[in-house]
Amino acid sequence: MTIDNTAVDTAALRLDGVTMRFGSVIALSDVSMHVDPGTVTCVLGDNGAGKSTLIKILSGVYTPSDGNFLLEGNKANFSSPRDALDQGIATVFQDLATVPLMSVWRNFFLGNEPTKGVFPFRRLNTKYAKDSCKTELMDMGIDIRDPDQAVGTLSGGERQAVAIARAVHFGAKVLILDEPTSALGVKQSGVVLKYVLQAKERGVAVVFITHNPHHAFLVGDRFFLLNRGKMIAQYERADVSREELVRAMAGGAELDALAHEIETLTTD
Amino acid sequence: MSTAIAAGDERLARSSTFVRVMRRPEIGALMGAIVVYVFFSAVDTTGTFVGLNGAARWTDVAATTGIVAVAVALLMIGGEFDLSAGVMVGTSGLFAGLLISEYNIPVWPAIALTFVFAACIGLLNGWLVVKTGLPSFIVTLAMFFSLRGVNLGVTKLLTDTVRVADIDEGEGFESARAVFAAELWQPYGFKVAVIWWVVLTVIATWVLTRTKFGNWIFAVGGDKLAARNTGVPVNRTKIVLFMYTSTSAALVGIISLMRLRSMQAGQGVGEEFVFIIAAVVGGCLLTGGYGSAIGASIGSAIIGMAFIGIAYAGWNTDWSWLFLGLILFVAVLTNSVIGKRFSGGRK
């Protein structure tokens, strides 16, 4: 249960006693965590646990009220998501990652368009963009039929996969995934989890934020449990079984009480 | 995923050139233009609609509509409306006219000041939309009525009439008229505005489909939050589009001023919907994120053919508004059917 948070200097990202207050509301209280390159770090929490606030701090939307946010050992200094992106922190939001009406290659290079020629004749290098989009997706194991097809025609899992591949391609050191599987069916979730592992194998520090301990257990190397704004537990993969994780996530005794309650209801 | 590869390749093979063409946003407008052209050629009583004399007439209407409609289309793809685009034609014509006739500023500097002024109005529209977060429909509707009042008020105040005249006494009028209002290719008398229209359509199409900025236009209209999350400067993109719309309205205002040598205070009012109709007929979605510049130009050509065609058919020109309404409805219905059948990517 205890992990030495101070000795490791190789962490891609580290939060040290971070607190976030909105007026009198304390959304996060004294949260510490760290994320190593080439690992998947899962942050588990139920609704209202503070996951969204945590994502917004990591992706540069909020600056913490208290505590330190270190990026590769240096104090992070973001004023916007664009800053965070420039410093290698890419966030894939659940529904807000791609533009459905635009083609796959246009989405893939959105905000980082490759150009050729000199101003005023500078233009998109469409051939390079389409080819490298296709090869890059293929390298991640995503086979799209045609880079010209609209992202809206892809399945939910493929859309998430395109967003993940995009972040990896543009050199993200830290990849933050906001509930990437929560809107997906079992098969599609599997597709996304596969790309999470692909990103990890490429040395990316992945932060996987979810309320689903089963999905987390499939890919996670380290688990942090968030509840009511506090980090209540940490596990290394080797030290925890799936059942323990599910129980801890559901609040152990609370789950027992709930199970008992349901049981009495159904037997009545 | 891997099991879908074989099926996927089959699907790619089925996506023939025909389907690719049918997928283009402007295809409905192009088919509509052919139908409208054939129809008015058939009902023509003067025998000139088909020839170059007729073409010189309808391309003129198409050009003065299309110059602004292309800008309005880009703005709509970027997810916003500009209802002040019509009245801006009048405002900028009056602004240039008053500078020339009341303040004796030479014509060319007056034109330059007018473009700067129009860009500022566009900047104000865009800034108000992105800062207040109000729908652009409301912001530009307010701008529309404000400018409509200002046009009448200021013109009456300065000239005691509702028009600005005597522009041709300004220094440099003839050279400006040659650039903005000349007639070419006699004896047919094509207007130089047609060249402005074609050149601006080509540039707008290139910017939209081949540049980084064009990619941003689709993105901010398609999904503003996704665009922002990937680092697209959403506000700057929208403001630039508002500025492009107001300056293109100013170009049409200056074209009319140079052509008529005067300007009525009510000029341009009502045109804003004609621009939007041209853009929508050309395949732009009202919800943003989809459309084409060339489509808006084809839409403008349809409007030009309808206005001139109705006059050539010997019908009362009051009917053109009915025709415009029908074209709008049929075109949007066709686009929607084609879109569903051939793309699947449109929501």
Side-chain angles (χ1 to χ4, degrees), chain B residues 15 42 53 76 94 113 170 178 202 204 225 255 274 282 292 311 335 341 345:
Chain B
S15 155
N53 278 314
M76 280 177 70
L94 293 167
L113 283 173
V202 170
L225 284 170
I255 288 172
V274 178
S292 91
N335 282 342
R341 182 159 305 172

Side-chain angles (χ1 to χ4, degrees), chain A residues 175-190:
Chain A
L175 176 63
I176 300 163
L177 302 171
D178 171 20
E179 299 272 3
T181 57
S182 68
L184 304 176
V186 177
K187 226 174 187 175
Q188 293 291 326
S189 295

Side-chain angles (χ1 to χ4, degrees), chain A residues 104-105 130 133-135 137-138 141-149 154 158 162, chain B residues 1 5 8-9 12:
Chain A
V104 173
W105 73 268
K130 283 181 198 179
C133 166
K134 202 168 163 91
T135 39
L137 289 173
M138 202 58 111
I142 309 164
D143 183 52
I144 49 156
R145 294 172 280 278
D146 175 8
D148 269 320
Q149 80 184 98
L154 301 178
E158 287 174 314
V162 168
Chain B
M1 187 71 213
I5 291 175
D9 285 346
L12 186 60

Side-chain angles (χ1 to χ4, degrees), chain A residues 82 85 93 96-102 106 110-111 113 115 120-124 126 143 145-146 150 153 158 166, chain B residues 1 5 8 11-12 20 206 209-212 215-216 218-219 222-223 226 229-232 288-289 344-346:
Chain A
R82 179 82 228 188
L85 199 58
F93 291 96
L96 313 168
T98 51
V99 183
L101 285 167
M102 291 173 78
R106 280 182 182 272
L110 188 57
E113 294 85 354
T115 54
F121 301 107
R122 192 174 298 138
R123 58 204 181 275
L124 292 179
T126 44
D143 183 52
R145 294 172 280 278
D146 175 8
T153 61
E158 287 174 314
R166 172 172 68 189
Chain B
M1 187 71 213
I5 291 175
R11 249 172 292 182
L12 186 60
R20 276 176 186 282
W206 182 77
T209 59
R210 287 284 168 266
T211 69
K212 190 187 271 201
N215 216 31
W216 294 353
F218 282 115
D223 190 334
N229 287 338
T230 51
V232 172
R346 282 164 64 175

Side-chain angles (χ1 to χ4, degrees), chain A:
Chain A
M1 233 184 73
T2 47
I3 295 162
D4 188 358
N5 248 355
T6 49
V8 196
D9 261 329
T10 50
L13 181 151
R14 177 187 295 282
L15 292 183
D16 206 8
V18 163
T19 297
M20 188 76 208
R21 282 184 292 268
F22 300 97
S24 61
V25 178
I26 302 169
L28 285 180
S29 166
D30 195 23
V31 167
S32 297
M33 64 176 286
H34 62 105
V35 183
D36 294 322
T39 64
V40 177
T41 302
C42 300
V43 177
L44 289 145
D46 218 330
N47 296 339
K51 294 190 307 265
S52 306
T53 311
L54 186 65
I55 294 167
K56 286 182 176 165
I57 289 174
L58 295 178
S59 62
V61 179
Y62 297 148
T63 312
S65 316
D66 261 321
N68 289 320
F69 179 4
L70 301 174
L71 189 58
E72 293 185 318
N74 304 311
K75 204 165 171 8
N77 187 18
F78 307 143
S79 57
S80 72
R82 179 82 228 188
D83 282 352
L85 199 58
D86 289 342
Q87 292 178 46
I89 300 187
T91 310
V92 176
F93 291 96
Q94 190 185 328
D95 295 322
L96 313 168
T98 51
V99 183
L101 285 167
M102 291 173 78
S103 64
V104 173
W105 73 268
R106 280 182 182 272
N107 263 293
F108 194 86
F109 286 97
L110 188 57
N112 291 291
E113 294 85 354
T115 54
K116 60 180 177 184
V118 289
F119 185 82
F121 301 107
R122 192 174 298 138
R123 58 204 181 275
L124 292 179
N125 194 342
T126 44
K127 190 174 158 25
Y128 166 80
K130 283 181 198 179
D131 291 350
S132 62
C133 166
K134 202 168 163 91
T135 39
E136 184 66 26
L137 289 173
M138 202 58 111
D139 283 354
M140 291 279 288
I142 309 164
D143 183 52
I144 49 156
R145 294 172 280 278
D146 175 8
D148 269 320
Q149 80 184 98
V151 161
T153 61
L154 301 178
S155 69
E158 287 174 314
R159 263 183 253 180
Q160 290 281 337
V162 168
I164 293 170
R166 172 172 68 189
V168 172
H169 176 76
F170 289 106
K173 286 180 276 192
V174 180
L175 176 63
I176 300 163
L177 302 171
D178 171 20
E179 299 272 3
T181 57
S182 68
L184 304 176
V186 177
K187 226 174 187 175
Q188 293 291 326
S189 295
V191 171
V192 171
L193 295 176
K194 205 173 82 190
Y195 301 127
V196 170
L197 291 176
Q198 289 264 5
K200 164 190 160 175
E201 270 158 34
R202 291 185 172 208
V204 178
V206 182
V207 183
F208 181 10
I209 294 168
T210 180
H211 63 248
N212 188 327
H214 304 283
H215 290 168
F217 193 76
L218 285 172
V219 293
D221 296 302
R222 183 176 293 135
F223 307 93
F224 289 89
L225 255 67
L226 202 58
N227 192 18
R228 301 171 70 89
K230 291 195 174 71
M231 209 58 106
I232 53 163
Q234 315 178 0
Y235 302 101
E236 290 293 328
R237 186 185 177 87
D239 306 337
V240 70
S241 71
R242 174 152 60 171
E243 286 67 31
E244 282 176 281
L245 200 62
V246 174
R247 272 182 65 81
M249 161 83 192
E254 277 176 53
L255 186 67
D256 288 341
L258 183 68
H260 180 71
E261 202 174 310
I262 292 173
E263 226 162 81
T264 47
L265 277 177
T266 45
T267 48
D268 277 354

Side-chain angles (χ1 to χ4, degrees), chain B residues 98-111:
Chain B
L98 289 171
L99 287 181
I100 295 163
S101 66
E102 295 295 314
Y103 297 99
N104 298 318
I105 293 174
V107 173
W108 281 106
I111 288 171

